Amino acid sequence: MNSQVYQTVIIGGGFTGLFTALHLAHEHYPRSVILIDKDERFCFKPLLYEYFDGEMDSFQVVPRFSELLKGSGVIFVQDTVQSIDLHQKEVKLASGNSYNYSNLVLALGSVTGYHQVEGARENAFPFWTQADAIALDHHLRDCLQKAIQTEDVEQRRKLLTVVIVGGGASGVEMAATLGDLLPHWYSALGGNSSEIRVVLLNHGQKILDGDINDPLRPIAEKELQKRTIPIEILTGAEATAIHPNTIEYKSNNQVNTLSTYTTIWTAGTSTHPLIQDLPIPKEHRDHHNRPLVTPTMQLLDFPEVFAGGDCAAVQDSSLPPTAQVAYQQGANIAQNLKAIALGEELKPVKVSIRGTLLKLGLNDAAANLFNVFEVAGESGHLIRQGTYLTLLPTPIHDFKATTEWVDEEIFHHHLDPHNVGKKVVQAVEVVGAGVVGVLVARKLLKMLGDEEKSK
Ligand SMILES: Cc1cc2nc3c(=O)[nH]c(=O)nc-3n(C[C@H](O)[C@H](O)[C@H](O)COP(=O)(O)OP(=O)(O)OC[C@H]3O[C@@H](n4cnc5c(N)ncnc54)[C@H](O)[C@@H]3O)c2cc1C
C-alpha cells in the first residue's frame, strides 16, 4: 500500500479505538479510517458481569463491530496485529496482510497480569472478554451439575467452592455476582445452596485499597455480606500457587491451601506485549512500561502516532485505567486527527472523572458521584446501568438497548415510587447527561409529583 495515501489506522476496537472511529465518522473526517480488532465484537467490559449473569443480552454488551460501524464509512478488519513498525509506518497482521498509515492510533488496552504466580496462567480463569465469560459460565455450570450427582462430600465441597483472587473492583464485583448467582443456579438444580462457598482472597489488608472505588469500601463490605451466600473475605492473603484443584496462599508467614476446582484471577493487569515491544526509550515510559503521550495524546518520539486508554499514560498526569477515561480520550484523539487533516491546532485532552460505579450483586450496585454522595442497593444498580447505557456506542445501538432496558428493567420492574427516594432523582440528574438519566429522572419526578397530587 502506498504510504503517501492519507490513511488513519486504529489498532484495537475497545473504548479508545471504537470511540475514536465513531467520532471521526460523526465529524466527517476527510481521510479513510481502518479499525483493526482481533475480535468480531466490541466488548463493553463494565457490563460483562451483566452478560455473564444473564441480566443483559449479547447485543447490548458485546455487539458486532460490523453492526456498530454500519454506514459510518469506517473499514473494519477482523485480524490480530502481530507487529508495529513505527519507523516504516506499517502494521503487520496475523493473516499476512499489512497496512501503512499516515496516522496511527494505538488502542490495544492491557492484558491480564499474573505476577509470575505459579500455575495462575494455566489454571485460573481470567475475566476479561466475552470468551472468558462463556468459559467461566460453562465451567461453573459443569461443577454444579457434578456436585448434584456426587455422593462424595469432599468432592462436592471442592466443586462448590469458588476462590476469587484480587480484592480490587473486578474481584469485588465478581464475588458479589457469584454470591447471588451460584445459589440461584444450584437451587434450580435441586441442590442445597448453603453448601456453596465464595471466597475473596486479597493480598492487602483492605479490599479496594488504592482503587478508584476506595470511597465505596464500607458499602462494598456491607453488601458482600448481604449476598444470598455471604462472601468470605480473606485479607493479608497472598496467592502463591494455583493448581487445578487447590490454591495455595501465604498468610501470617504460613502457607495455607484451599481445595477448589475454580480459581478466578482478577489480581492484575499488564502492559500489552506489542506496546512493550515498541522502540520507545525507558525515559519516555511510565513505571508500568506504558509509553508517555503528550496532553494532545501523541507519542513523544512519533507525533503522527496517538495512543490512549489502558495502553498509554499522559505526561504529568495520573488517570486510572478505566472505560470512562478511555472513551473520553478516544473522542479527543478524533478531534486532533481531524485538526491535523484540516491543518488546525491540536488541543490538549480534558478528561473528567464523574464518579465510580460498582456492581455488588444481582440488581445491586453502589455509585460514588463526584465524591459528593454515595448511593447503594437497587437505586445504585439503577444509576449504574442507566449511566452505562447512555454510553453504549452509536445512536442506533444506544436507542435499541436503551429503550429495551428502560422499558423492561426500570419502568416495569424497578420503578416503585415508594422505594425510590429523592436522592436517586438527584443522582440520576447529576449523572444523567444522556438519554437514560434524563428519562429516568423525568419519570421519577412525574411519579413523585403524581404521588404528591394524590395525597
Ligand atoms: C471485567 C472488567 C470490568 C471493568 N469494569 C469497569 C468499570 O466498571 N468502569 C470502568 O470505568 N472501567 C472498567 N473496566 C476497565 C475498562 O474496561 C478498561 O479500562 C477499558 O476497556 C480500556 O479501554 P481501552 O480502549 O484501552 O482497551 P480495551 O477496551 O480493552 O480494548 C482493547 C481492544 O484491543 C483489541 N486487541 C488487543 N490485542 C489485539 C491485537 N493483537 N490485535 C488486534 N486487536 C487487539 C481487543 O480485542 C480490544 O477490543 C473493567 C474491565 C474489566 C476487564
Side-chain angles (χ1 to χ4, degrees):
M1 200 166 281
N2 184 348
S3 61
Q4 295 308 304
V5 171
Y6 286 119
Q7 171 166 273
T8 293
V9 174
I10 303 171
I11 55 174
F15 279 88
T16 313
L18 178 65
F19 279 76
T20 302
L22 291 172
H23 280 277
L24 287 173
H26 190 250
E27 296 292 320
H28 306 292
Y29 181 59
R31 297 181 177 173
S32 69
V33 179
I34 297 170
L35 174 67
I36 304 169
D37 200 285
K38 62 182 172 52
D39 294 329
E40 185 197 6
R41 292 165 180 267
F42 167 71
C43 182
F44 199 112
K45 291 190 170 109
L47 292 174
L48 202 54
Y49 305 97
E50 276 85 346
Y51 171 70
F52 170 70
D53 69 23
E55 286 178 274
M56 291 179 86
D57 286 323
S58 55
F59 84 87
Q60 295 167 306
V61 183
V62 285
R64 285 192 172 79
F65 283 110
S66 57
E67 201 180 304
L68 294 173
L69 295 168
K70 208 182 280 169
S72 67
V74 173
I75 299 163
F76 174 65
V77 176
Q78 189 192 342
D79 209 331
T80 301
V81 177
Q82 281 202 325
S83 65
I84 306 161
D85 189 331
L86 295 182
H87 296 289
Q88 296 299 320
K89 299 188 184 176
E90 186 187 41
V91 171
K92 285 198 177 136
L93 309 182
S95 62
N97 289 340
S98 61
Y99 288 91
N100 286 102
Y101 57 81
S102 46
N103 285 108
L104 177 69
V105 180
L106 298 171
L108 290 164
S110 47
V111 293
T112 305
Y114 293 99
H115 311 307
Q116 295 174 334
V117 171
E118 185 194 331
R121 186 183 295 276
E122 298 78 15
N123 300 314
F125 286 84
F127 194 74
W128 203 257
T129 62
Q130 180 192 18
D132 295 341
I134 293 172
L136 184 61
D137 175 277
H138 289 176
H139 171 81
L140 287 170
R141 286 180 191 273
D142 189 46
C143 285
L144 299 188
Q145 195 70 49
K146 285 183 178 143
I148 274 285
Q149 286 160 358
T150 184
E151 300 280 304
D152 181 335
V153 177
E154 236 348 272
Q155 176 72 350
R156 192 160 63 245
R157 191 166 296 148
K158 263 191 245 178
L159 288 162
L160 294 178
T161 299
V162 174
V163 180
I164 297 139
V165 182
S170 291
V172 166
E173 290 185 304
M174 176 55 79
T177 302
L178 292 179
D180 283 341
L181 194 63
L182 292 179
H184 174 65
W185 282 355
Y186 197 47
S187 306
L189 292 173
N192 173 2
S193 62
S194 67
E195 289 183 285
I196 288 173
R197 274 184 86 186
V198 179
V199 182
L200 181 62
L201 198 88
N202 190 45
H203 190 178
Q205 295 300 334
K206 290 190 257 178
I207 59 166
L208 298 173
D209 201 17
D211 189 276
I212 186 174
N213 290 288
D214 196 297
L216 293 175
R217 184 182 310 112
I219 294 179
E221 283 172 345
K222 213 183 320 157
E223 294 298 315
L224 286 172
Q225 298 318 311
K226 287 205 292 197
R227 302 337 314 148
T228 312
I229 289 293
I231 309 305
E232 295 172 45
I233 304 175
L234 293 180
T235 54
E238 180 192 358
T240 48
I242 293 160
H243 306 289
N245 54 5
T246 44
I247 167 167
E248 282 173 27
Y249 65 94
K250 220 176 3 180
S251 174
N252 293 328
N253 285 326
Q254 272 193 332
V255 177
N256 306 288
T257 57
L258 256 169
S259 294
T260 175
Y261 287 116
T262 315
T263 299
I264 302 171
W265 189 266
T266 68
T269 55
S270 184
T271 301
H272 196 291
L274 286 172
I275 297 293
Q276 295 195 37
D277 287 349
L278 292 174
I280 294 174
K282 206 166 166 248
E283 60 274 19
H284 289 174
R285 292 180 180 262
D286 75 351
H287 62 285
H288 295 297
N289 208 14
R290 298 182 303 171
L292 296 175
V293 290
T294 61
T296 48
M297 305 304 293
Q298 294 160 287
L299 291 186
L300 306 189
D301 305 298
F302 301 90
E304 68 283 5
V305 180
F306 289 77
D310 287 5
C311 76
V314 182
Q315 252 180 332
D316 304 323
S317 139
S318 71
L319 291 166
T322 57
Q324 58 174 320
V325 170
Y327 79 79
Q328 291 180 61
Q329 291 181 335
N332 280 276
I333 289 172
Q335 269 175 15
N336 282 338
L337 283 167
K338 191 176 172 194
I340 289 177
L342 300 181
E344 293 171 357
E345 203 182 317
L346 275 62
K347 294 203 174 95
V349 169
K350 279 198 199 113
V351 170
S352 54
I353 306 285
R354 289 179 167 176
T356 63
L357 304 158
L358 200 60
K359 182 164 174 61
L360 290 171
L362 298 187
N363 297 328
D364 194 348
N368 169 27
L369 307 173
F370 299 94
N371 274 334
V372 175
F373 56 93
E374 289 153 8
V375 188
E378 204 166 337
S379 313
H381 166 74
L382 198 127
I383 291 168
R384 182 176 178 276
Q385 283 206 341
T387 305
Y388 283 144
L389 282 166
T390 64
L391 294 176
L392 291 181
T394 82
I396 300 157
H397 183 67
D398 196 345
F399 178 72
K400 204 169 147 199
T402 303
T403 47
E404 284 194 23
W405 180 76
V406 167
D407 195 39
E408 277 170 37
E409 294 295 314
I410 303 185
F411 294 161
H412 291 162
H413 183 51
H414 294 299
L415 211 54
D416 171 357
H418 302 287
N419 291 338
V420 186
K422 280 211 168 77
K423 211 171 182 188
V424 181
V425 180
Q426 277 177 330
V428 172
E429 281 175 332
V430 174
V431 177
V435 184
V436 172
V438 175
L439 277 176
V440 175
R442 273 199 201 137
K443 183 86 182 172
L444 283 167
L445 286 168
K446 185 174 179 309
M447 290 176 87
L448 290 168
D450 290 347
E451 203 192 3
E452 283 295 310
K453 271 187 225 154
S454 67
K455 274 184 190 165

